[in-house]
Structure formats: C-alpha cells, structure tokens
Amino acid sequence: MDSNKYIDNIENRKYHEIFNYINPTLTKSFQLGNELLDRIPYNQVEELEQINNLEKTNQLDYEDYLLLLPKLNLNVGDSGTKFISNTLIKQKNYKDMIELLKQTKPFDTMPMINLYSYARMICNKPISSKEYQKINADMNIMKKNTEEYELNKPSFKNIKSQIKF
C-alpha cells in the first residue's frame, strides 16, 4: 500500500491557485482517469433540487454571471474604455478578469498561464517571485509523485473479491 502515499501527496497538498485555471500534464493513467470521471454517475436528484432552489430565490447563477460579463463590457463614453474591465481593475478582481478575458478576443487564444499572469498584472497584483517558485515546486511535486505512483502502482491481478448483500 505504498502507492497510497503518492496519491495522498497529490491530493492533500495546498497548491497555488493557478492550478484552478491550468491542467498540469500528468501520466497517462491519471489523464485517462480524468477523462473517465464524466462517466461516473452522480446524484442528479440533488442537482435538480439545487436548480429548483435557485429558481425560487430568483438569484443569478455564477455561470450565468460569467456569460453576462462580456455582454456588459460596453464602451464608456468617448474614452474607448470598457465598463466591466475598468470596474474589475479598480476592484483588483483578477479572478473575474480572467473569466472576462477568456471570452474576449484575442485573449481567448492565449495559454492560461499567460492569461493568468496578464490579468494579475493589469489588476496591479503581479505574480511575485515567491509565487513563481511555489508554482514550479507544485508542478515538480505533481510530476514526481505521479511518476512514483506509476512505478509503484498496485497490481489488481489475481485478486479474488466478493460482494455480500
């Protein structure tokens, strides 16, 4: 059961927030597992109840809010500046700025790490050198632990199992 140690190292570490936006390259078995996650059945009843609760409260869902951002990003007067962009920059809200930039051209074609860095820069919260070190350390730890897991992954051959009801 030494392979559980590597999985725990991957799951229990507090990673830098950039990994909410980028997907690190992992080994083939991890990539296959991530692709197959959509096939796992989930609790549809709970999701429908949440949708009904949102309809009753008449609140805007976060995904709908993100879809509205580029539509509300109108020019302000003759200045040529955008309303939502200026608001987000003044509030230093780089997370919503990333979501806005992901939906506008030419930023939608940028790699996510560059878009993240750009959004932080224009919101006056540039990535510090310590954060760059943390990002690189997190990427190295992910690679190391996934490679170690691949070398020491458990074998499920010749195991007899039984389900009792």
Side-chain angles (χ1 to χ4, degrees):
M1 283 295 148
D2 192 32
S3 62
N4 284 340
K5 177 179 86 171
Y6 303 114
I7 296 294
D8 290 340
N9 287 343
I10 293 172
E11 289 179 347
N12 296 333
R13 184 176 170 90
K14 183 171 169 57
Y15 294 104
H16 190 271
E17 68 179 0
I18 197 168
F19 292 104
N20 296 335
Y21 302 105
I22 64 169
N23 295 324
T25 55
L26 299 174
T27 59
K28 290 181 182 178
S29 62
F30 279 93
Q31 290 174 349
L32 178 63
N34 288 338
E35 290 172 7
L36 296 177
L37 276 177
D38 294 335
R39 297 184 185 178
I40 297 174
Y42 62 97
N43 191 350
Q44 289 179 332
V45 174
E46 183 178 341
E47 185 174 309
L48 290 173
E49 287 175 355
Q50 290 175 352
I51 291 171
N52 287 337
N53 289 339
L54 280 175
E55 289 174 357
K56 289 177 183 175
T57 59
N58 201 18
Q59 289 182 351
L60 187 63
D61 195 22
Y62 186 70
E63 287 82 24
D64 295 334
Y65 162 74
L66 293 177
L67 292 174
L68 280 176
L69 279 180
K71 295 176 183 173
L72 295 174
N73 201 16
L74 306 171
N75 286 336
V76 179
D78 295 333
S79 63
T81 59
K82 303 285 188 178
F83 175 69
I84 297 293
S85 299
N86 281 346
T87 306
L88 293 175
I89 290 170
K90 286 178 185 173
Q91 294 175 352
K92 297 185 178 187
N93 188 351
Y94 62 89
K95 293 180 181 181
D96 286 339
M97 181 61 98
I98 291 170
E99 298 300 328
L100 174 65
L101 292 175
K102 279 198 304 191
Q103 299 177 27
T104 56
K105 292 201 179 293
F107 302 107
D108 58 348
T109 59
M110 286 177 71
M112 277 307 296
I113 192 161
N114 295 348
L115 186 65
Y116 176 81
S117 177
Y118 177 71
R120 293 265 313 244
M121 186 68 70
I122 63 175
C123 288
N124 260 347
K125 289 187 173 183
I127 302 175
S128 67
S129 61
K130 284 188 176 185
E131 285 181 288
Y132 277 121
Q133 290 174 354
K134 170 85 169 138
I135 292 167
N136 289 331
D138 288 347
M139 290 177 99
N140 290 337
I141 285 175
M142 271 189 205
K143 287 178 186 176
K144 177 184 162 211
N145 283 324
T146 54
E147 288 168 0
E148 289 289 329
Y149 176 78
E150 285 297 315
L151 293 174
N152 300 318
K153 70 181 174 182
S155 173
F156 294 106
K157 297 176 183 172
N158 301 327
I159 294 178
K160 295 181 181 179
S161 58
Q162 178 177 10
I163 300 175
K164 293 182 180 179
F165 293 99

